[in-house]
Amino acid sequence: MTGRITRHNPARVYELVGTVPSAAPARVDAVVRAADAAQRTWARADIAERVAALRAAADAVEPELPQLAELLARESGKVLADCRGELGFALTFLRWVADQAPRVLADTALDDAAGRLLLRRRPYGVVAAITPWNAPIILSFLKIAPALAAGNAVVVKPSPLAPLAIDRTVRLLSSALPDALLQVVHGDAEAGAALVGHPLVGKVAFTGGAATARVVAAAAATQTTPTVLELGGNDPVLLLDDADLSPEPMRRLVMASYATSGQVCMAAKRLYVPETRHDEFVAAYLQAADEVLCLGDPLADGVSMGPVVTAEAAARITGLVADAVARGGRALPVGRADPGTDLRAGHFVAPTLVTGVPEDAPLVAEEQFGPTVPVLAYRDADDLVARANAGELGLGASVWSADEERAFTVARRLDAGFVFVNTHNRTGMSLRAPFGGVKRSGYGREYGDEGIAEYAQTCVVHAPAAFRAGGAGAAANAYPSS
Ligand code: NAD
């Protein structure tokens, strides 16, 4: 399909924010071929030269950050402060990769009694970066920065639900890089499939939903193209019986659930509280939410939560709450609404906290990806850990306790790629801490040394000692002893 992708503001659906051209398969093919040609020269450049270009690319984006943040807010429904934060963090990440990559990607040379060994970190070629709509800038940078540092070219295919700010950002980055090394193509399944299945794509880095991931991994497998998959989560929050329920940590926990209207892979999605502190927790949580959670237009001052991304998402989420109530749950309103926003003009979903809902309700058992969160009472540590580990997802989790040692002891029992202590979601991230899922939340890592090494493959040159000049030799076809 060719034509244009149009994007309307989820907070004011009558407002057209912008359009981008959608790429037919022939266009995707031309883009990948040009990227492949550019990559061959780029890979031969010294890494110092490559990271200098990355720093220049970051500098090219910086001056436009305010306009990009507003564009992102208008196309996605995320609040303006969050959009500014995402863009700023993406540039921080890019510069951090420029600092760390020369160390992480350095060749290792050994020359000793066992022989001479050279370990080289070589690029894959063209990396296809397929990203979701909910954090299009940082989720693209997590792939672009390490992939380029390692000597790859990158073709980004963003979600058609938020293509505008990332399109402009990639163009700004590209202005400081060799032609065709970093490009963007737009579209949905057709353009994505043309990219993933392209024989000149050397690696696919995908962030998105599980159903799409299965299609992407299967298509990549037809060319035996390696993949990194960063998928959804159903993150449990484990409040131990000594957890601090005072306003400051409670405000942090509230925003860990409702930032971006709960549409975050690592949002706090199930709240486990001790039976004995259930009512105390609900009261403390609702009070903190009144202070910190305000639903309204993402561009309005003081608003901390905007609409959800589409009418379909709004209907799905309200359906989950209705189902939970039909199963005996009680939906409590959370936070307040901005009086200046017309909530009927967009895909606004009033945030809720749902108590008394059974564990097998879809609201608990599945990733809700929206502003509604169940509170679940537990009896003891074994009950808590078993229920937190239930299900097929294992992205994030958090443990809250006044005793850090206790929190770490419980954290070690959790099936999650990333366990936060006394926080959850973005406030608990670290550039140096690898992030990714276990179980069906995906494989491969972003951030940290591992997230850089993900885009290089180790290749070896080896001269065994036995066969070097003056070596002892060995029987033909013998196994080595070391
Ligand atoms: P999605 O799976 O619908 O789309 C992701 C991307 O895949 C989009 O760019 C889409 O156009 C593309 N796509 C669709 N069909 C394709 C095909 N056949 N071939 C190639 N590409 C194709 O995801 P979404 O709704 O945009 O995002 C929500 C999901 O992403 C949630 O499950 C969320 O938890 C997850 N997520 C995970 C992380 C993480 O780091 N683990 C981060 C953010 C979001």
Side-chain angles (χ1 to χ4, degrees):
M1 189 194 73
T2 49
R4 295 195 75 82
I5 295 165
T6 55
R7 190 64 197 139
H8 288 82
N9 186 339
R12 292 187 293 267
V13 292
Y14 48 82
E15 179 188 304
L16 177 67
V17 184
T19 73
V20 286
S22 64
R27 166 79 188 140
V28 174
D29 177 56
V31 164
V32 174
R33 285 181 191 284
D36 177 64
Q39 188 268 334
R40 289 165 199 276
T41 313
W42 177 248
R44 284 198 297 272
D46 192 78
I47 187 151
E49 229 178 279
R50 296 201 298 260
V51 299
L54 288 187
R55 287 196 186 93
D59 293 346
V61 175
E62 187 104 56
E64 276 205 31
L65 204 146
Q67 297 91 310
L68 290 168
E70 188 177 326
L71 184 58
L72 180 57
R74 289 173 62 224
E75 68 175 328
S76 69
K78 301 197 320 173
V79 300
L80 187 57
D82 286 357
C83 296
R84 282 200 203 106
E86 180 183 339
L87 276 146
F89 183 54
L91 294 184
T92 300
F93 175 76
L94 180 51
R95 290 176 175 131
W96 179 81
V97 169
D99 290 344
Q100 304 304 319
R103 172 183 58 81
V104 177
L105 301 173
D107 288 351
T108 309
L110 294 173
D111 194 346
D112 58 18
R116 181 170 170 189
L117 191 58
L118 176 65
L119 308 182
R120 305 170 63 213
R121 322 286 171 197
R122 303 191 63 212
Y124 286 90
V126 179
V127 169
I130 300 187
T131 52
W133 69 270
N134 65 339
I137 308 292
I138 182 63
L139 295 172
S140 299
F141 273 54
L142 290 172
K143 300 159 183 60
I144 292 169
L148 291 181
N152 303 278
V154 180
V155 179
V156 183
K157 203 225 53 75
S159 165
L161 296 177
L164 302 170
I166 185 65
D167 182 272
R168 178 74 191 136
T169 306
V170 166
R171 285 170 203 283
L172 289 167
L173 291 170
S174 305
S175 67
L177 297 168
D179 268 1
L181 187 70
L182 172 63
Q183 299 173 79
V184 60
V185 293
H186 293 289
D188 201 4
E190 188 188 37
L195 187 56
V196 169
H198 200 290
L200 290 178
V201 165
K203 184 153 189 166
V204 174
F206 172 85
T207 302
T212 318
R214 288 188 200 104
V215 176
V216 165
T222 62
Q223 309 281 341
T224 46
T225 306
T227 53
V228 186
L229 302 179
E230 299 287 349
L231 314 180
N234 191 12
D235 289 18
V237 171
L238 291 78
L239 287 136
L240 304 190
D241 54 14
D242 63 349
D244 179 1
L245 305 185
S246 68
E248 194 270 323
M250 286 300 98
R251 288 195 291 264
R252 190 158 65 241
L253 180 56
V254 166
M255 288 319 295
S257 289
Y258 299 99
T260 314
S261 303
Q263 303 162 111
V264 177
C265 59
M266 55 176 171
K269 291 177 180 151
R270 297 177 280 157
L271 309 180
Y272 287 96
V273 300
E275 256 171 8
T276 51
R277 301 191 73 190
H278 177 275
D279 295 352
E280 179 196 354
F281 168 77
V282 171
Y285 188 91
L286 292 178
Q287 192 174 343
D290 281 345
E291 294 163 30
V292 81
L293 190 65
C294 178
L295 175 69
D297 190 297
L299 298 179
D301 280 345
V303 163
S304 58
M305 190 187 120
V308 297
V309 69
T310 57
E312 294 73 33
R316 187 183 56 74
I317 295 155
T318 46
L320 279 176
V321 178
D323 170 84
V325 169
R327 291 168 190 258
R330 186 160 167 242
L332 306 168
V334 181
R336 61 207 149 77
D338 171 43
T341 299
D342 176 5
L343 296 178
R344 289 158 312 175
H347 310 305
F348 290 96
V349 175
T352 48
L353 186 70
V354 185
T355 60
V357 63
E359 205 87 0
D360 61 354
L363 176 59
V364 181
E366 296 167 14
E367 179 185 42
Q368 71 271 51
F369 215 60
T372 177
V373 186
V375 183
L376 305 143
Y378 69 86
R379 285 186 309 281
D380 55 41
D382 288 341
D383 173 39
L384 171 64
V385 169
R387 286 161 66 189
N389 283 340
E392 57 177 20
L393 299 177
L395 191 61
S398 63
V399 185
W400 301 62
S401 169
D403 178 346
E404 200 173 279
E405 271 323 300
R406 249 187 110 199
F408 271 71
T409 302
V410 173
R412 284 195 190 91
R413 298 177 63 188
L414 297 179
D415 297 336
F418 203 119
V419 183
F420 308 98
V421 172
N422 288 329
T423 192
H424 202 124
N425 205 334
R426 70 173 74 120
T427 51
M429 303 291 288
S430 161
L431 294 172
R432 65 182 184 169
F435 182 86
V438 298
K439 299 198 287 187
R440 303 297 173 195
S441 286
Y443 46 78
R445 292 293 179 262
E446 294 187 318
Y447 298 99
D449 289 359
E450 285 182 50
I452 296 175
E454 195 72 65
Y455 294 93
Q457 40 198 343
T458 301
C459 298
V460 171
V461 183
H462 185 213
F467 312 116
R468 297 177 78 187
N477 208 26
Y479 280 100
S481 61
S482 64

